[in-house]
Amino acid sequence: LAVCVAVPAGLAVCAATGTLRWPRWKWFLPFIFVSVAATLFGVAPWMGLVGSPNRNNGLLALFLGAGAFVLGASAAGDAVVQRRVLRAAFVTGGVIGVLAVAERFGLDIAAVGDAGEITRARSTWGSATFAAGYFVIMLPIAVAHLRSRDPRWRITGLVCAVAILAGLLSTGTRGGWLAALVSAAVMVPA
């Protein structure tokens, strides 16, 4: 719910300040057109619009994701904002990693899981595959902060990287592990 408020509010602020940027809009338009058409003419248009209780995303979630992308691109011109967003991202990733490990041990701290199904941690993502994809994106951001000039952020980066890696391992998703290895192969030489 916080994201559903924060993303539109951020877009409104960017629009009001003249910093709203829509990168790659030529790619977005066909994607949005096909998504809207699939929602309207699909088997269950209402579920296609709002999603379903078993956490299948609907069109509104698609627009929220596109809005988050546009908001990120709009705020990317300011180095201070970039730094804050990246730090918030990997710290949040560390928290979600801790929740995933706890879930794997049978503790549903966030009360979003299914106590009867803990063979693969899903944390707040509802799916082990989605959680693994999220961890693969957050892990390099945390690792990059190991080179921060500020020792507090180096330590925070280390703690969060360990939590994110543990969360990734607890998902049991081989594709996520493979993606993390490819990411490491690219990132380590750099």
Side-chain angles (χ1 to χ4, degrees):
L1 290 174
V3 171
C4 290
V5 172
V7 170
L11 289 171
V13 168
C14 287
T17 60
T19 59
L20 189 63
R21 306 287 179 266
W22 190 299
R24 305 193 189 282
W25 64 271
K26 291 179 183 177
W27 294 96
F28 266 107
L29 288 181
F31 178 62
I32 290 174
F33 176 77
V34 169
S35 300
V36 169
T39 298
L40 295 176
F41 301 112
V43 176
W46 177 250
M47 288 296 176
L49 177 65
V50 297
S52 64
N54 62 356
R55 299 189 184 152
N56 289 328
N57 288 334
L59 189 62
L60 294 177
L62 172 81
F63 284 143
L64 186 64
F69 179 80
V70 171
L71 180 59
S74 299
D78 186 351
V80 173
V81 172
Q82 286 178 0
R83 194 175 309 111
R84 287 179 182 160
V85 168
L86 289 171
R87 287 175 176 172
F90 83 80
V91 168
T92 304
V95 171
I96 293 174
V98 168
L99 292 174
V101 171
E103 182 182 24
R104 187 65 181 92
F105 286 109
L107 302 170
D108 188 12
I109 297 169
V112 295
D114 181 2
E117 176 60 42
I118 56 168
T119 58
R120 296 173 63 192
R122 297 171 299 221
S123 192
T124 58
W125 283 88
S127 162
T129 305
F130 291 162
Y134 170 76
F135 291 137
V136 167
I137 293 168
M138 292 300 116
L139 187 57
I141 298 172
V143 169
H145 277 77
L146 297 177
R147 298 189 61 189
S148 174
R149 291 185 190 130
D150 187 341
R152 295 173 297 178
W153 283 109
R154 282 197 305 268
I155 293 168
T156 304
L158 178 62
V159 169
C160 289
V162 169
I164 292 168
L165 181 60
L168 175 63
L169 294 173
S170 69
T171 64
T173 307
R174 293 181 303 264
W177 299 344
L178 179 61
L181 290 174
V182 170
S183 175
V186 170
M187 196 169 171
V188 168

